[in-house]
Amino acid sequence: MVRTPLTPEERLRGERLGRLLREARGERSMVAVAASAGISAETLRKIETGRAPTPAFFTVAALAGALGLSMDELLGRCALEPAGSVEAEASAEPAVVPLIA
């Protein structure tokens, strides 16, 4: 099965998700948060670094729960500008767009 390449917008959204999760984790260890969410530390590392920009919905939900974040908050903070370009997006405030395509 061939996977469709990610768009630049999907990659940026994944990077924002990773930054948000890393910030929310704070001083807690990656291993502790991953265990609390029921995922591997390597999976969390890949999400936080943007190497896994489109994690499964239930993985994101589990991480949100482990970090005390709401899915609405994640959505609002990770979404892209609806009509913005990729270059302009880096400095723009996010708009509400689906978190996982």
Side-chain angles (χ1 to χ4, degrees):
M1 180 174 168
V2 177
R3 185 169 188 187
T4 305
L6 298 176
T7 65
E9 291 83 9
E10 289 170 325
R11 290 189 184 282
L12 286 171
R13 188 173 54 218
E15 290 171 10
R16 275 194 306 281
L17 173 62
R19 280 193 304 270
L20 174 59
L21 294 175
R22 174 62 190 101
E23 290 169 11
R25 184 166 57 84
E27 296 298 317
R28 290 179 279 183
S29 78
M30 189 175 287
V31 172
V33 171
S36 177
I39 64 171
S40 72
E42 182 59 23
T43 296
L44 179 54
R45 181 176 292 108
K46 286 179 181 178
I47 294 168
E48 284 187 359
T49 60
R51 289 185 301 151
T54 58
F57 173 82
F58 290 104
T59 299
V60 175
L63 284 167
L67 294 169
L69 299 170
S70 73
M71 293 298 284
D72 287 339
E73 180 179 6
L74 285 176
L75 174 63
R77 293 182 61 191
C78 292
L80 294 173
E81 284 290 325
S85 70
V86 173
E87 294 80 20
E89 199 285 322
S91 64
E93 287 294 317
V96 178
V97 181
L99 178 62
I100 300 174

